Amino acid sequence: MFLPIVVTVLGLWSVGGQASDFTINTIELKVLPSTKLKIGDRLELQCVVQVAKTTDLELNSTFTFYMEDVNVYTNSSTGDKVSYIVPKARGSHTGKYRCDVSVEGRRKRSDEVGIEVTGLSSPLINVSKIQTSEGEDVTVRCEAEEEWTYKVFTFYKINHKGEEKKDKRTVESHGEANFMVREGDEILQFKCEVYLLVTRETSPQSSMRTVTVVAQFSKPRIEVLPSLNFTEGQNMSVRCSVQMAPKHSEDMKLTLQKEGNIIDSSTTSTLSYYRVATVNDMGNYTCKVESIRTSKSSSSTITIIELFSRPKLTLQRGSKNQFIQEEETIVLQCLVEGLAPKDANNLDYKFLGAGRIFTRKGGRFYMTAAERYSGSYVCEVTISNITKQSEPLDVQIYAPVKNPVLTHIMRSNKTVVLGDELELTCKVQSGTPPITYSLLRGNGTLTQTIINEDTEARFVVKSSKSHDLGQYRCQATNRNTKSSDKYSNIVNVTVIIPISNVHLKIIPENGDVEEGAELSLICMVEDGTLPINYLFYRKKGSEILLKNMTDVKKLHADTQVLKFNKQEDGIYFCTATNGARKEVRSNSEEARAVLASWKKGVIGTFVFLIILAAIVICAYLHMDKKKKGKDITPKKNRSSKPVTANNEKPAGEMKDGEGFYGNVKNEDELQILKTGEENPGNNQQNHEEEQTEADSPDAPPGSYVSRRCSGDCSHREAGTGCL
């Protein structure tokens, strides 16, 4: 009976322990009613998802709609679909759509679906004002509120002259454009349209808006009297007028122009211009009225018939020379073409030029040429109050050059340093340019220049050689130079050679000068123009000037320092300068004071006497030692026996504390024995020598002392008599 219960429990345990799970199988985006719509249609997008899951598992899904990867709508639902509805589709809804579903962290994306909405509605248009004035701006606004994609607004301004268009590209739902009201605008009409860049569609044009233009002033009126076509000599008047609006808000200005040049102006509504007319007054005249914002103008062309032609001035000469020269007779002829000979001869011709005015009948003016009459000449003719002038005629009269003067710039002494520039100027006292100046040295021409003005000629010569010195002069010529050339004064120029390689020599050459003797200083210059100034110095801490001297004949100078002593010790040098004014310094030599020869002789004699005295003393002592050595030798020989005559013990048998020397008769013997003991190395040798001498039958008496003293005297002791 327990088996059914067990089976039931196991079954329930199996169902209750099953794990919750799901998977997204498919996702689809549906477009209703179609992917191709007309503007204003209802658009519904359905995102449908199929999810496989365990029984009784509830899932909350997030649905996201995208247009061109831009999120346009998001909603959550436990169902299997969500809709995104656009009540009225516009062209801006054209594009590619998709939807995404997110379930418990799992995502799936649908395929993209393209939607096309065709047809655009007319945009709305507004203007900033319905009445305006010339020169002001009108703002036009075009709206397409339901279109939010990229678009181009096109604005149109229409008047009697035609159409003006402006474009505005934007993503906004509206666009604006400013139009200026120009001169002559009266009735303006505005409209606009929209072009969608996505669908490449253009909307129908908007309705038309009208703007009325109120003129501040009328177009100016121009009047010409006596007419637009008349003969010169009459009074001419040009009148400009303009009508102002009753309530004009801006100041205005009225101007009269001729060929673009203002000849009169006024701030009133009228302007008048009067004059006796000539052919020069013929041309185009313009009346213009303007304010800050706008302007208007009117033009007229005036034609004036010439009463007589402009006179012509010519020059007549009898000379065949190319250029007019002084004292030549010349004639100025003034002619008016078209006049009868009788009328021409009765006219008064006025000649103006060179600061003078002459009146001649018949139009001929004679004058004798002079340089002061050079200048620009014109002639004047007056008929019926009309005066006309000829074109200017330049008359150049050439005066011959006179008295050129050559000047050496900045050099009153006519000198120049070798290597520097020699600067000369030449200027004539009179003569008409252009003048040709030539610089000459001797009979040769160095350089030449042409001066076109009444200024001096400047010459610069590089003095690179000593033979650049010499006599300079200049020559001046022009287009009226007589047969004899004009030469200037002569300038004598001396070229100064700078000093080079200054050397100081001293005597004695080694620089050792005996006290009281003389030191000679010789300053020598290798090259340089005389005279030369020499300065001798001694440097001992500070520089001391010893001698200042000038030599006009030699390239050297000398001086002496007498009775030289220690105070004159030091470094000696010299400097040299000449007209080049450049000081050149020599080498430096050292001089020292040394002892005089007689002082050296005295010191040498004194030293010699000291040495001689030492030798005499040594010889005396040596002889004295010899004498005393005779008595010491027999005693020395006896001391070598084992037992002395006085029963003295040998040295080996002597006890400590006993006298080593035994019984000596005097201090000299004791000293000799002590010396032998202190120099045991020599004692043996001396002993052998003494023994030999003692044994030798030819040994003279006292030979021991002689040999003992013949050694190094440095070992002698007081009282030994060895030197």
Side-chain angles (χ1 to χ4, degrees):
M1 62 179 292
F2 296 102
L3 182 59
I5 298 174
V6 173
V7 172
T8 301
V9 172
L10 290 175
L12 293 174
W13 175 82
S14 175
V15 174
Q18 185 176 2
S20 299
D21 197 6
F22 72 93
T23 181
I24 302 174
N25 288 334
T26 62
I27 180 171
E28 181 183 6
L29 178 64
K30 296 181 179 180
V31 181
L32 299 176
S34 173
T35 58
K36 292 189 177 185
L37 305 171
K38 295 290 185 182
I39 187 169
D41 290 348
R42 182 179 183 275
L43 171 64
E44 180 179 357
L45 300 176
Q46 289 184 353
C47 187
V48 182
V49 63
Q50 290 185 355
V51 179
K53 60 181 179 177
T54 57
T55 307
D56 298 332
L57 177 63
E58 287 191 4
L59 297 174
N60 189 19
S61 302
T62 300
F63 295 81
T64 305
F65 293 83
Y66 293 90
M67 175 189 175
E68 304 292 349
D69 295 327
V70 177
N71 186 340
V72 295
Y73 181 69
T74 300
N75 198 2
S76 297
S77 175
T78 57
D80 58 357
K81 67 177 179 180
V82 169
S83 294
Y84 167 56
I85 299 174
V86 178
K88 292 183 179 181
R90 296 293 177 186
S92 58
H93 292 109
T94 298
K96 293 183 178 181
Y97 291 80
R98 76 168 194 273
C99 68
D100 290 0
V101 175
S102 175
V103 182
E104 300 292 338
R106 300 182 186 180
R107 299 177 62 87
K108 197 171 184 66
R109 175 180 296 180
S110 71
D111 294 334
E112 287 187 338
V113 177
I115 298 176
E116 181 180 359
V117 180
T118 59
L120 292 174
S121 59
S122 299
L124 299 177
I125 187 171
N126 287 296
V127 291
S128 59
K129 58 186 74 173
I130 60 174
Q131 183 173 316
T132 186
S133 299
E134 293 173 334
E136 295 184 351
D137 289 338
V138 175
T139 301
V140 182
R141 180 185 177 95
C142 192
E143 298 181 357
E145 295 183 353
E146 297 176 350
E147 303 296 342
W148 45 266
T149 187
Y150 285 102
K151 60 186 72 68
V152 177
F153 291 94
T154 302
F155 302 86
Y156 297 91
K157 170 192 169 186
I158 304 169
N159 59 13
H160 67 283
K161 295 180 180 179
E163 185 177 84
E164 182 180 352
K165 184 174 70 171
K166 290 185 179 181
D167 290 333
K168 175 73 173 181
R169 180 172 178 171
T170 180
V171 73
E172 301 291 335
S173 61
H174 66 276
E176 291 184 351
N178 290 328
F179 290 90
M180 188 182 77
V181 180
R182 304 183 184 279
E183 176 187 345
D185 289 343
E186 296 178 355
I187 302 297
L188 301 179
Q189 291 184 318
F190 297 93
K191 62 181 179 180
C192 69
E193 62 187 17
V194 180
Y195 174 76
L196 295 185
L197 296 176
V198 176
T199 60
R200 298 183 180 180
E201 287 185 280
T202 302
S203 71
Q205 291 185 346
S206 68
S207 58
M208 197 79 72
R209 291 289 184 268
T210 301
V211 175
T212 302
V213 179
V214 177
Q216 295 285 324
F217 42 78
S218 66
K219 187 175 182 179
R221 180 183 178 186
I222 182 170
E223 297 177 282
V224 179
L225 294 175
S227 66
L228 293 178
N229 193 340
F230 59 94
T231 302
E232 65 179 347
Q234 302 183 48
N235 291 327
M236 178 186 75
S237 98
V238 180
R239 185 174 184 273
C240 295
S241 61
V242 63
Q243 290 183 348
M244 307 297 298
K247 296 182 179 180
H248 62 276
S249 58
E250 296 180 356
D251 294 334
M252 67 88 186
K253 183 178 181 181
L254 185 63
T255 61
L256 176 62
Q257 304 175 28
K258 177 181 180 290
E259 305 294 347
N261 297 315
I262 296 177
I263 57 177
D264 202 357
S265 63
S266 174
T267 56
T268 64
S269 59
T270 60
L271 181 152
S272 297
Y273 174 73
Y274 301 95
R275 66 179 289 111
V276 176
T278 67
V279 290
N280 293 329
D281 297 316
M282 185 169 53
N284 182 266
Y285 288 78
T286 300
C287 287
K288 182 177 180 181
V289 59
E290 60 181 338
S291 64
I292 297 176
R293 296 179 179 272
T294 187
S295 65
K296 296 179 181 180
S297 62
S298 298
S299 297
S300 293
T301 300
I302 300 176
T303 302
I304 300 175
I305 302 170
E306 189 176 42
L307 181 63
F308 62 95
S309 63
R310 186 177 185 181
K312 184 177 181 180
L313 182 63
T314 59
L315 176 66
Q316 296 178 357
R317 299 175 54 201
S319 173
K320 295 182 180 180
N321 292 331
Q322 182 180 2
F323 303 103
I324 304 174
Q325 299 183 4
E326 283 189 327
E327 300 179 0
E328 180 182 340
T329 300
I330 59 177
V331 180
L332 295 178
Q333 179 73 51
C334 187
L335 298 174
V336 177
E337 293 182 359
L339 286 181
K342 182 180 179 180
D343 295 335
N345 291 332
N346 292 329
L347 281 178
D348 289 332
Y349 297 86
K350 189 178 291 185
F351 296 87
L352 302 88
R356 303 182 303 165
I357 301 175
F358 300 94
T359 302
R360 296 287 186 275
K361 284 190 178 293
R364 294 176 67 85
F365 172 55
Y366 295 84
M367 69 176 178
T368 301
E371 184 185 21
R372 64 182 181 274
Y373 297 151
S374 296
S376 179
Y377 285 80
V378 296
C379 70
E380 284 185 356
V381 176
T382 301
I383 302 176
S384 300
N385 297 326
I386 300 297
T387 300
K388 294 186 179 182
Q389 252 187 19
S390 67
E391 289 285 347
L393 175 66
D394 290 330
V395 176
Q396 181 62 61
I397 302 170
Y398 289 89
V401 295
K402 293 180 181 179
N403 303 325
V405 177
L406 183 64
T407 305
H408 187 192
I409 300 299
M410 302 300 291
R411 292 283 185 177
S412 59
N413 56 357
K414 306 300 185 294
T415 61
V416 64
V417 178
L418 186 68
D420 290 347
E421 292 180 342
L422 170 65
E423 191 171 1
L424 301 166
T425 62
C426 189
K427 178 73 169 61
V428 296
Q429 291 183 357
S430 63
T432 306
I435 299 175
T436 301
Y437 290 92
S438 302
L439 181 66
L440 296 84
R441 183 172 61 216
N443 294 323
T445 300
L446 297 180
T447 184
Q448 193 175 78
T449 184
I450 298 176
I451 304 299
N452 293 311
E453 299 176 356
D454 187 23
T455 58
E456 63 187 15
R458 188 175 296 267
F459 301 100
V460 177
V461 180
K462 183 75 172 181
S463 58
S464 59
K465 299 178 182 178
S466 59
H467 65 252
D468 285 339
L469 56 84
Q471 294 183 339
Y472 290 84
R473 60 178 178 168
C474 73
Q475 178 188 16
T477 59
N478 71 347
R479 294 170 177 174
N480 191 16
T481 302
K482 303 299 182 181
S483 57
S484 59
D485 295 332
K486 299 299 180 180
Y487 292 94
S488 72
N489 56 302
I490 295 176
V491 174
N492 290 310
V493 177
T494 301
V495 177
I496 298 177
I497 302 174
I499 290 174
S500 60
N501 297 334
V502 180
H503 178 72
L504 177 68
K505 182 179 180 180
I506 64 173
I507 300 175
E509 295 183 357
N510 61 1
D512 294 335
V513 186
E514 293 184 0
E515 291 183 340
E518 178 183 282
L519 172 66
S520 294
L521 304 173
I522 304 173
C523 191
M524 296 175 288
V525 173
E526 180 178 324
D527 196 9
T529 301
L530 298 171
I532 298 176
N533 181 249
Y534 299 91
L535 299 176
F536 293 87
Y537 292 91
R538 179 179 70 242
K539 183 176 182 181
K540 192 174 183 181
S542 61
E543 295 180 355
I544 302 172
L545 177 63
L546 301 178
K547 191 68 174 290
N548 182 347
M549 56 192 305
T550 300
D551 202 313
V552 298
K553 296 182 179 181
K554 298 178 294 184
L555 292 177
H556 67 272
D558 60 84
T559 187
Q560 293 78 35
V561 180
L562 304 177
K563 296 182 180 181
F564 198 87
N565 55 47
K566 284 291 184 182
Q567 293 181 350
E568 273 76 35
D569 284 359
I571 304 298
Y572 288 80
F573 66 92
C574 67
T575 63
T577 57
N578 65 356
R581 299 184 181 182
K582 181 179 180 182
E583 186 178 72
V584 182
R585 181 168 172 165
S586 72
N587 57 301
S588 299
E589 296 288 346
E590 183 178 6
R592 305 165 297 277
V594 298
L595 288 175
S597 299
W598 66 271
K599 289 185 179 180
K600 292 180 181 178
V602 171
I603 294 172
T605 302
F606 180 73
V607 172
F608 174 75
L609 292 175
I610 292 175
I611 294 173
L612 181 61
I615 293 173
V616 171
I617 293 172
C618 187
Y620 172 78
L621 294 176
H622 177 66
M623 295 301 294
D624 187 59
K625 291 295 183 180
K626 280 186 177 183
K627 181 178 180 182
K628 291 180 180 181
K630 294 179 180 180
D631 296 332
I632 295 174
T633 302
K635 293 179 181 182
K636 183 67 176 179
N637 292 336
R638 288 194 301 269
S639 67
S640 63
K641 296 180 181 182
V643 179
T644 65
N646 295 327
N647 297 322
E648 294 178 353
K649 294 181 181 181
E653 297 177 1
M654 293 178 66
K655 296 180 181 180
D656 295 338
E658 294 183 2
F660 178 80
Y661 301 107
N663 188 14
V664 274
K665 293 181 179 181
N666 53 49
E667 292 180 358
D668 291 336
E669 294 177 354
L670 178 61
Q671 184 63 36
I672 293 171
L673 293 176
K674 285 182 178 181
T675 303
E677 182 182 358
E678 292 173 358
N679 299 279
N682 295 329
N683 288 342
Q684 182 177 358
Q685 181 179 358
N686 295 336
H687 179 70
E688 292 174 356
E689 293 174 354
E690 292 167 4
Q691 190 66 36
T692 303
E693 293 172 355
D695 294 342
S696 174
D698 299 328
S703 60
Y704 171 78
V705 176
S706 176
R707 289 180 178 274
R708 180 70 178 86
C709 290
S710 65
D712 188 359
C713 287
S714 64
H715 299 290
R716 70 180 178 83
E717 298 291 339
T720 61
C722 178
L723 293 176

